[in-house]
Amino acid sequence: MTVYAIIGGTGLTQLEGLNIQRSLAVDTPYGQPSAEVVIGEYAGREVLFLARHGHPHRFAPHKVNYRANVWALKQAGAEAVLAVNAVGGIHPGMGTGHFCVPHQVIDYTSGREHTYFADDLEAVTHIDFSYPYSEPVRQRLLAALAAEGHAHSDQGVYGCTQGPRLETVAEIARLERDGCDIVGMTGMPEAALARELQLDYACLALVVNPAAGKSTEVITMAEIELALHAGIGKVRNTLQRLLAQP
């Protein structure tokens, strides 16, 4: 049975319903992870959980130690990763409260430690990243969303920006021209690092606000927090549904 790790993003610093058995403070060659790796029983199976931004939420997207986080999960026994991300909606069909299971990503970040293949190499290493998300895990997420009756899109392009500020209207217009459907700040380099460590990886993205210029309203953190509060139960239900399957 596949050992799943859940990486919780904004709004999911704890996994309600997880029967915690132990926590691991994993030392990595890349520094300290955002939080301890929590190991427990969830939906009848062993699951690992890591809060991407720490618990409490304290690491901004550009300050997350993605290399340490993914390495720690691999060392703790993870074979596949379910990444939960809060995003803004660019495509007209990606309204607040909508779920997207992206099939592609465009990386607009800069200055992040984005690879394990950087130093003391005997040979240059390249990975195939043509299809950044594991299709079998994507299909499991989609089946769980459908079974729960949650509105969702079965594909989408995730544009990952640097943060921590939100984007300008012109930047969102550029992302839209590039083909992005949703925008977030944490999708990369997490997905690529998982691929480097041969971990199956897929993203469950919850739209928590219209992207800049996609609404006449000013984007506020209060609005985002309301959307997170409304949607996080659906996130948990979806994860439970997926994990309850063999």
Side-chain angles (χ1 to χ4, degrees):
M1 185 176 288
T2 301
V3 178
Y4 282 97
I6 297 168
I7 299 180
T10 300
L12 191 65
T13 57
Q14 299 181 86
L15 189 60
E16 185 178 326
L18 178 67
N19 181 19
I20 297 174
Q21 297 167 343
R22 63 190 186 280
S23 297
L24 297 178
V26 181
D27 291 322
T28 85
Y30 308 98
Q32 293 298 309
S34 298
E36 292 185 343
V37 177
V38 177
I39 302 175
E41 183 182 343
Y42 191 65
R45 70 193 296 167
E46 184 177 81
V47 174
L48 313 180
F49 178 79
L50 178 67
R52 182 186 291 116
H53 297 279
H55 180 60
H57 187 290
R58 64 184 185 277
F59 295 112
H62 68 298
K63 290 294 187 180
V64 171
N65 191 339
Y66 295 95
R67 291 196 300 179
N69 286 354
V70 177
W71 185 275
L73 292 173
K74 176 77 172 185
Q75 291 300 107
E79 297 172 322
V81 175
L82 303 169
V84 180
N85 300 78
V87 299
I90 298 176
H91 188 281
M94 306 287 180
T96 299
H98 193 80
F99 285 98
C100 178
V101 181
H103 71 297
Q104 281 292 331
V105 64
I106 302 178
D107 189 3
Y108 298 93
T109 67
S110 62
R112 301 185 182 189
E113 296 289 352
H114 65 280
T115 181
Y116 296 112
F117 302 125
D119 303 304
D120 302 321
L121 300 177
E122 294 182 2
V124 176
T125 302
H126 302 283
I127 60 166
D128 179 9
F129 203 52
S130 302
Y131 302 97
Y133 303 106
S134 164
E135 192 59 26
V137 182
R138 274 193 3 96
Q139 292 302 321
R140 288 176 67 89
L141 278 170
L142 291 170
L145 285 165
E148 289 294 322
H150 300 324
H152 66 279
S153 296
D154 62 5
Q155 63 177 21
V157 178
Y158 182 134
C160 188
T161 58
Q162 178 71 352
R165 66 168 177 83
L166 299 178
E167 300 75 29
T168 68
V169 171
E171 286 169 334
I172 292 299
R174 175 201 173 190
L175 266 64
E176 187 169 26
R177 289 193 300 271
D178 286 350
C180 296
D181 299 298
I182 54 177
V183 58
M185 302 175 189
T186 54
M188 287 290 287
E190 194 174 89
L193 293 168
R195 179 63 54 84
E196 288 187 351
L197 293 186
Q198 300 181 330
L199 289 167
D200 287 333
Y201 180 99
C203 165
L204 176 62
L206 171 65
V207 179
V208 296
N209 63 278
K214 296 301 175 182
S215 168
T216 58
E217 303 297 324
V218 174
I219 300 171
T220 67
M221 289 310 299
E223 169 196 7
I224 291 173
E225 288 169 4
L226 280 173
L228 281 168
H229 182 74
I232 208 66
K234 295 178 180 178
V235 169
R236 293 191 180 102
N237 291 343
T238 300
L239 295 175
Q240 287 172 344
R241 173 78 67 166
L242 185 155
L243 293 167
Q245 302 304 313

